[in-house]
Amino acid sequence: AAQDRLAKSEQAASAREEKAKAETNAKLAAAKQAMQDRDDAASSRMEKAKAEETSKLAALEKSKRESEKAAQDRLAKSEQAASAREEKAKAETNAKLAAAKQAMQDRDDAASSRMEKAKAEETSKLAALEKSKRESEKAAQDRLA
């Protein structure tokens, strides 16, 4: 009977030990799973944050490229406008120069024409005086004769 009690006591102790081991293993497994779940959640949050940051960076890069392109477009338009103004100013200056040159030429031509007319008038007056002189001399000779 004492041996039976001892055997039962050992069996009960062994069963309690097995139960305690099983509970400890279950708690360890649960703790390990909880840690794994936390790690997975943290990794997931990190990946999500990384994806969001990458997306934000890509959007910033795109915005920067668009701003630079817009600035280049504005610069090109500004340069085109400046070039057009410069060409217009050149054309206006050339037109003014041509008009001034033509006006000078017209004045020169008018002056030359007046000089030619005056010269012709003077030549005509001289010819008339010469003719009058010859006629006077002939009349004087006729009177003498």
Side-chain angles (χ1 to χ4, degrees), residues 68-126:
E68 287 173 350
K69 186 179 184 311
Q72 283 178 340
D73 289 348
R74 284 192 303 274
L75 181 63
K77 277 185 182 176
S78 176
E79 286 173 350
Q80 282 177 340
S83 180
R85 285 191 302 273
E86 188 178 335
E87 288 301 316
K88 183 180 176 188
K90 276 184 188 174
E92 288 173 353
T93 299
N94 287 340
K96 286 176 184 173
L97 284 172
K101 197 172 179 181
Q102 187 61 48
M104 280 175 55
Q105 186 64 49
D106 292 348
R107 282 193 300 273
D108 285 353
D109 291 349
S112 290
S113 176
R114 286 191 305 272
M115 247 168 54
E116 287 297 317
K117 186 177 176 187
K119 193 174 170 183
E121 287 174 357
E122 287 303 311
T123 302
S124 175
K125 285 179 187 175
L126 280 174

Side-chain angles (χ1 to χ4, degrees), residues 25-95:
N25 286 342
K27 286 178 185 174
L28 283 173
K32 196 173 178 182
Q33 187 60 48
M35 278 177 52
Q36 186 63 48
D37 290 347
R38 281 193 301 275
D39 284 353
D40 291 347
S43 290
S44 175
R45 285 192 304 273
M46 237 163 65
E47 286 299 318
K48 185 178 176 187
K50 191 175 172 183
E52 286 174 358
E53 286 303 310
T54 302
S55 176
K56 284 179 187 174
L57 281 174
L60 284 173
E61 282 292 321
K62 182 180 178 189
S63 174
K64 181 181 170 188
R65 283 193 307 272
E66 288 171 351
S67 292
E68 287 173 350
K69 186 179 184 311
Q72 283 178 340
D73 289 348
R74 284 192 303 274
L75 181 63
K77 277 185 182 176
S78 176
E79 286 173 350
Q80 282 177 340
S83 180
R85 285 191 302 273
E86 188 178 335
E87 288 301 316
K88 183 180 176 188
K90 276 184 188 174
E92 288 173 353
T93 299
N94 287 340

